[in-house]
Amino acid sequence: MAINKDQIYIDKVIGGDLSAYTYLVDKHKDMAFSVALRIVRNYEDAEEIVQDAFVKAYQNMEAFRNKSKFSTWLYRIVFNAAVSRTRKKRLESTDLDGFVVDNYTTDEIKENVNKLDFDERKNLANKLINELPPLEYTLINLFYREECSIEEISEITGLSVSNVKVKLHRIRKKLYSELQKILDKELNTIYS
Amino acid sequence: MNSNNMTQDDFIKKLIGETKLESPSIDFTQRVMTDIENLSREPVSITDFIISKIWYLILAVMIVVVIAGVLYFTPGSRELILREYRPLLFDLPQIVINNFRNLFSSVKISSVTVVILISIASIFAADRFVRKPGRRSFMF
């Protein structure tokens, strides 16, 4: 189990085995960096934020011990640092309420997407995910990729549990709506 | 969560699994580890521990106790204090020196030694009260 494996390495680091920290950095750097980059939109700034977060996490490792998942703690440091750096910018630039899937059922969309080959699906997914605003991108990645619980996402982002639930629901609807738009466009291109 | 939401969840999870996360530069892990190694190499300030405020307090209390003990327990000291006592001009050094002479008469301790000891104690006390907080002691 991933949590236990992190804990094993955390114990090693606390015990003085510095090299064990490499495992934690390698494991979590991409997610942390993606979140930071999406928020600050600058490669160097994002790297600096994540690097500082790893150092800060190391310095406070003893205090952190067993309080929560290492990833939850690290992402919260990264998220807060990135948001602080872009304090004046709005995290949410898109109104989620405008997206409602009316015309197609989930099964229809799923069927259409599954007809695409792997590369096409991958491109489609990348396009969709990359177009999400920073907060939505963070929420969706934490929930689906990192498999964080609603409570953990709430801890990382500072949003209330109910707010996280509502936002995830809306993002899901929005993704389906966007998927269908892209698929319609593809079909129109093929048949026109 | 209803079955439709669960289907949507599985589908989006699969879709997101097919995307790639952004990666920092190749030497990122190395840079983090270098930072951490540098941090762990920073020397621990042992001096600060030894010359902490509590040590000054202990030293000051010890000096006071020693002087009080000498004055109180040396034979004839009370009489000497009362005889030499003057409310406005208290000749403490003379009393202390006389008492030290009585106490250590067999080892022939000189008054100069006593003065040196008192001077050292005074320097400690001055160092404790005069120096600014956070600055390292001039004694060490």
Side-chain angles (χ1 to χ4, degrees):
Chain A
M1 200 174 157
I3 306 166
N4 290 338
K5 204 167 181 187
D6 275 5
Q7 197 53 55
I8 290 166
Y9 283 91
I10 287 166
D11 289 341
K12 280 185 183 180
V13 174
I14 292 170
D17 180 4
L18 208 63
S19 62
Y21 201 62
T22 312
Y23 167 84
L24 296 167
V25 176
D26 278 336
K27 186 179 171 187
H28 299 292
K29 67 180 179 183
D30 285 355
M31 184 65 201
F33 180 70
S34 297
V35 168
L37 182 63
R38 183 52 65 106
I39 295 169
V40 297
R41 296 186 182 278
N42 178 289
Y43 201 89
E44 285 76 25
D45 284 352
E47 270 207 357
E48 195 185 317
I49 286 167
V50 179
Q51 192 170 336
D52 288 349
F54 273 114
V55 173
K56 202 172 173 183
Y58 170 78
Q59 285 176 309
N60 296 290
M61 194 72 93
E62 194 81 50
F64 153 75
R65 202 176 208 166
N66 294 329
K67 278 184 186 165
S68 64
K69 268 166 75 179
F70 176 77
S71 56
T72 306
W73 183 50
L74 177 79
Y75 299 152
R76 192 177 66 210
I77 298 172
V78 170
F79 186 82
N80 287 340
V83 169
S84 297
R85 201 168 282 211
T86 51
R87 204 171 282 154
K88 287 175 185 173
K89 293 179 187 173
R90 277 175 62 84
L91 277 177
E92 292 174 274
S93 58
T94 315
D95 180 15
L96 289 166
D97 294 326
F99 294 90
V100 182
V101 183
D102 287 331
N103 302 330
Y104 301 90
T105 64
T106 302
D107 287 339
E108 281 172 335
I109 294 170
K110 204 175 155 186
E111 197 185 319
N112 285 332
V113 173
N114 284 336
K115 280 177 190 168
L116 301 170
D117 65 30
F118 179 75
D119 284 340
E120 285 172 327
R121 266 207 325 269
K122 198 175 164 184
N123 286 339
L124 178 63
N126 268 318
K127 185 176 162 57
L128 277 174
I129 303 300
N130 288 331
E131 281 175 1
L132 288 173
L135 184 61
E136 293 174 27
Y137 176 89
T138 305
L139 294 179
I140 207 93
N141 267 299
L142 289 174
F143 190 71
Y144 290 109
R145 191 190 292 273
E146 289 292 307
E147 297 182 344
C148 290
S149 67
I150 303 284
E151 288 75 18
E152 284 166 348
I153 296 174
S154 163
E155 196 183 328
I156 293 167
T157 59
L159 297 170
S160 67
V161 169
S162 55
N163 203 356
V164 172
K165 279 182 189 170
V166 170
K167 281 188 187 298
L168 279 172
H169 178 70
R170 288 176 177 177
I171 298 166
R172 207 179 286 128
K173 282 168 86 177
K174 177 183 173 178
L175 280 174
Y176 269 92
S177 170
E178 291 297 302
L179 263 176
Q180 195 53 55
K181 276 184 198 168
I182 294 167
L183 290 171
D184 280 348
K185 204 174 162 187
E186 292 286 323
L187 290 171
N188 286 338
T189 312
I190 293 164
Y191 293 114
S192 62
Chain B
M1 191 182 274
N2 61 35
S3 62
N4 190 41
N5 279 349
M6 281 174 74
T7 313
Q8 285 185 354
D9 264 355
D10 290 342
F11 179 64
I12 291 174
K13 190 175 178 179
K14 187 183 166 194
L15 210 62
I16 287 171
E18 287 171 2
T19 63
K20 253 192 92 180
L21 287 171
E22 300 283 348
S23 295
S25 46
I26 300 166
D27 64 340
F28 178 80
T29 304
Q30 187 55 48
R31 278 191 284 128
V32 172
M33 294 313 291
T34 306
D35 277 0
I36 287 167
E37 278 164 22
N38 290 339
L39 269 176
S40 59
R41 266 203 292 267
E42 277 178 13
V44 179
S45 179
I46 296 165
T47 314
D48 283 349
F49 171 73
I50 293 169
I51 317 167
S52 64
K53 287 180 180 178
I54 194 74
W55 285 107
Y56 282 104
L57 191 67
I58 290 167
L59 194 69
V61 169
M62 280 172 70
I63 289 166
V64 169
V65 167
V66 168
I67 292 171
V70 168
L71 290 174
Y72 193 81
F73 292 109
T74 309
S77 65
R78 276 183 242 177
E79 290 75 17
L80 184 70
I81 290 167
L82 287 171
R83 197 176 63 237
E84 297 290 333
Y85 177 71
R86 287 186 288 273
L88 297 175
L89 189 64
F90 184 56
D91 195 8
L92 183 66
Q94 189 59 44
I95 295 166
V96 172
I97 290 164
N98 286 341
N99 278 288
F100 266 100
R101 276 180 182 157
N102 293 335
L103 184 65
F104 301 108
S105 56
S106 59
V107 291
K108 302 288 181 194
I109 188 167
S110 71
S111 57
V112 176
T113 310
V114 176
V115 169
I116 289 168
L117 286 172
I118 291 170
S119 302
I120 291 170
S122 304
I123 291 169
F124 267 103
D127 183 48
R128 167 71 182 84
F129 293 110
V130 172
R131 75 192 171 103
K132 289 178 183 173
R135 279 179 61 185
R136 184 160 286 192
S137 165
F138 65 76
M139 294 284 291
F140 295 89

